[in-house]
């Protein structure tokens, strides 16, 4: 008498199906995470209220990309290279987007919007002193080595999504220097 085989095949099908579903979820999560770091995600999917920022970053807005966002885009940098966001910040932003409780003033192109000096200096010299040395050739005036001291915030002059402000040039002739962006 031949032994009857136990019905293992349906269990194997269930395990295989479960593994395939799990694999699809993992691949989708990895893809979503990769996409979430791109400007198109920031400007279109999650932050529809930030479309103006994305257009400025791409140089397609009315100002043709005034500010440093477009300059950084040309250097193949994305939003999250300057605007770091930890999980709690992203969760808070998602909540405000979904509920419509964001502060429109924070979204104005001239707003500070969480880029601090340390973030700027991490790419541009490492310290005020190193930045001043790096820009020493800006003679006759080096705005990063001012007799007035260092700016309290890089964004006083260097704007991300609007035209730069030549604060030194407001009072002093600056030898024809212009600001990038």
């Amino acid at each position: 008498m031949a032994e009857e085989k136990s019905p293992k095949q349906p269990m194997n099908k269930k395990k295989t199906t479960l593994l395939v579903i799990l694999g699809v979820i993992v691949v989708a999560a990895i893809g979503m995470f990769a996409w979430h770091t791109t400007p198109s995600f920031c400007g279109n999917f999650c932050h529809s209220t930030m479309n103006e920022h994305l257009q400025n970053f791409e140089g397609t807005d009315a100002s043709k990309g005034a500010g440093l966002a477009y300059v950084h885009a040309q250097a193949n940098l994305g939003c999250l290279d300057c605007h770091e966001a930890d999980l709690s910040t992203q969760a808070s932003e998602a909540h405000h987007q979904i509920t419509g409780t964001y502060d429109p003033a924070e979204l104005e192109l001239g707003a500070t919007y969480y880029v601090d000096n340390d973030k700027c200096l991490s790419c541009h010299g490492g310290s005020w002193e190193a930045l001043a040395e790096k820009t020493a050739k800006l003679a006759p005036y080096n705005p990063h080595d001012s007799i007035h001291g260092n700016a309290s915030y890089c964004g006083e002059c260097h704007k991300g999504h609007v035209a730069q402000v030549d604060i030194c040039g407001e009072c002093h002739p600056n030898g024809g220097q212009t600001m990038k962006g």
Side-chain angles (χ1 to χ4, degrees):
M1 182 171 182
E3 287 184 36
E4 287 186 34
K5 292 186 179 182
S6 62
K8 289 184 179 179
Q9 193 172 5
M11 186 55 123
N12 285 338
K13 281 185 177 181
K14 287 180 182 178
K15 284 182 181 178
T16 302
T17 302
L18 184 61
L19 287 174
V20 168
I21 291 171
L22 185 61
V24 168
I25 291 171
V26 167
V27 169
I30 291 169
M32 185 68 163
F33 181 79
W35 181 43
H36 117 279
T37 65
T38 66
S40 65
F41 177 88
C42 296
N44 292 321
F45 183 73
C46 190
H47 299 286
S48 59
T49 54
M50 291 190 162
N51 239 356
E52 191 177 2
H53 292 265
L54 176 62
Q55 290 171 355
N56 176 262
F57 177 82
E58 294 171 336
T60 60
D61 65 335
S63 75
K64 303 287 188 240
L68 294 178
Y70 182 69
V71 173
H72 286 92
Q74 300 307 298
N76 293 318
L77 297 172
C79 303
L80 294 180
D81 288 307
C82 296
H83 298 286
E84 288 186 9
D86 57 25
L87 186 58
S88 67
T89 300
Q90 291 179 349
S92 174
E93 288 175 348
H95 168 75
H96 291 301
Q97 288 292 318
I98 292 167
T99 61
T101 58
Y102 52 85
D103 180 0
E106 286 184 11
L107 300 177
E108 292 177 15
L109 285 179
T112 303
Y113 208 73
Y114 73 97
V115 176
D116 62 15
N117 288 348
D118 291 339
K119 186 62 186 169
C120 298
L121 290 170
S122 71
C123 294
H124 298 284
S127 68
W128 282 109
E129 295 76 19
L131 179 60
E133 188 175 313
K134 187 177 177 180
T135 57
K137 65 181 182 252
L138 294 177
Y141 303 103
N142 182 353
H144 303 113
D145 189 20
S146 172
I147 60 169
H148 302 297
N150 297 327
S152 60
Y153 173 58
C154 298
E156 288 181 53
C157 301
H158 302 288
K159 305 296 183 184
H161 293 276
V162 295
Q164 308 306 293
V165 178
D166 182 6
I167 291 176
C168 299
E170 290 176 358
C171 297
H172 305 283
N174 62 6
Q177 293 178 13
T178 58
M179 298 188 65
K180 287 185 178 180

